[in-house]
Amino acid sequence: MNAAQLSAWHPAPSSISPQARGWLLNRGSLTQLIQQHCCGNFRVKPVFQRLAGVCVDELAMMNLRRNELALVREVYLYCGDTPVVFAHSVVAREDLRGAWRGLSGLGSRSLGTVLFTNPAVERTPLRFKKLNSTHPLFIRACRHLQAKPPGLWARRSLFSLQGQSILVTEVFLPSILELA
């Protein structure tokens, strides 16, 4: 897959069910929305956090060069015992000493809680993509799923604080549609 195919994120999702559309288009805190559906049975399970290379389609958005390391954090958002979202965030290394210095200590706390409780944080419009089995985030999101779906919807946006950005990508797992 070339860089142009990887970078084709769109301003609106197409050909999705009304139920999926509701999850994808919600601009509020996804953490809070899931918590409302889980009756107190919500948790965050970190699976990866360290300086690492980023996906090709994240380089330009984060103003990074190929092979430049950034803090990559990946977690699953669970409702009960079921993972419903795979979340992937990227922060440039130099921003870890600035606005985003506290992120390395989040552990099993939700990044969404940090982002949506600070009124100084600004968010860019959401961008959407149907990920398939060739996209690195699809592969990582499906790592703990028993059955691999043909595709997964994802959305991403930049959050900025004091001129520094964090890129947050949320990959919606099939089980999200089972939440009432």
Side-chain angles (χ1 to χ4, degrees):
M1 178 171 282
N2 65 38
Q5 291 170 306
L6 278 172
S7 62
W9 288 74
H10 306 284
S14 59
S15 305
I16 61 169
S17 70
Q19 187 179 14
R21 183 175 296 278
W23 286 103
L24 282 167
L25 296 180
N26 183 292
R27 287 200 40 90
S29 168
L30 183 60
T31 296
Q32 189 174 33
L33 186 60
I34 294 170
Q35 285 173 329
Q36 291 169 359
H37 287 82
C38 291
C39 304
N41 210 359
F42 170 83
R43 67 185 168 97
V44 175
K45 180 181 179 185
V47 291
F48 183 90
Q49 182 172 318
R50 67 174 170 250
L51 291 174
V54 302
C55 299
V56 171
D57 60 347
E58 296 171 331
L59 292 170
M61 285 190 79
M62 292 303 297
N63 219 11
L64 297 170
R65 295 178 307 280
R66 188 179 285 287
N67 299 323
E68 186 175 357
L69 300 181
L71 179 67
V72 176
R73 180 177 192 254
E74 295 177 340
V75 303
Y76 284 97
L77 305 182
Y78 274 78
C79 185
D81 293 329
T82 306
V84 292
V85 169
F86 174 78
H88 167 90
S89 56
V90 175
V91 179
R93 187 191 312 211
E94 63 267 12
D95 293 347
L96 294 173
R97 292 184 295 269
W100 304 113
R101 66 184 164 277
L103 292 184
S104 57
L106 274 177
S108 60
R109 289 182 296 136
S110 163
L111 174 60
T113 303
V114 173
L115 297 174
F116 285 93
T117 55
N118 185 340
V121 173
E122 297 176 357
R123 184 182 197 178
T124 63
L126 293 166
R127 304 285 293 178
F128 304 90
K129 184 176 182 71
K130 180 95 178 242
L131 305 179
N132 63 31
S133 62
T134 62
H135 196 285
L137 293 183
F138 177 94
I139 295 164
R140 297 206 292 266
C142 290
R143 191 171 292 145
H144 299 288
L145 298 181
Q146 292 182 359
K148 306 264 186 288
L152 293 171
W153 275 104
R155 68 181 195 177
R156 69 172 32 156
S157 60
L158 284 171
F159 291 83
S160 298
L161 180 63
Q162 301 168 0
Q164 298 176 334
S165 297
I166 180 171
L167 176 63
V168 176
T169 304
E170 297 152 326
V171 181
F172 292 80
L173 304 177
S175 53
I176 192 89
L177 298 178
E178 297 168 17
L179 298 183

